[in-house]
Amino acid sequence: MSSDEIPLHYEFEVWDDAKMVRNFRLNAAVKNNVKLIFRGDLYPSGMVNKIFEIIIDEEWDDTKIVEFK
């Protein structure tokens, strides 16, 4: 249980049926029990936009949203 922000790093690869179409890294820092949301386009512009979402039933003290391009 820490009240200090802890750095987080995620690396994503987006694939179509045969090849990788995007690779990117996301960074943020959050305190304990803060929901972190990365929000932005998953696919490069011009491609079909698909939505991917994971929902977890949790109670959070706060929410932090990081926009990416």
Side-chain angles (χ1 to χ4, degrees):
M1 301 296 282
S2 173
S3 60
D4 297 330
E5 288 194 336
I6 306 295
L8 299 172
H9 310 279
Y10 296 92
E11 184 168 344
F12 294 91
E13 293 181 350
V14 181
W15 289 76
D16 68 6
D17 292 335
K19 66 178 192 267
M20 184 170 52
V21 295
R22 186 168 185 197
N23 179 1
F24 56 100
R25 292 180 184 164
L26 301 173
N27 300 300
V30 293
K31 296 179 182 180
N32 186 61
N33 202 30
V34 172
K35 177 169 56 174
L36 176 62
I37 298 172
F38 291 110
R39 181 176 292 157
D41 295 331
L42 184 60
Y43 290 99
S45 63
M47 295 190 70
V48 175
N49 187 16
K50 295 192 177 179
I51 296 172
F52 177 77
E53 184 175 62
I54 298 174
I55 300 171
I56 300 173
D57 187 15
E58 291 282 347
E59 290 186 24
W60 302 98
D61 290 338
D62 197 5
T63 299
K64 182 173 185 175
I65 298 174
V66 177
E67 300 284 340
F68 67 91
K69 294 182 181 186

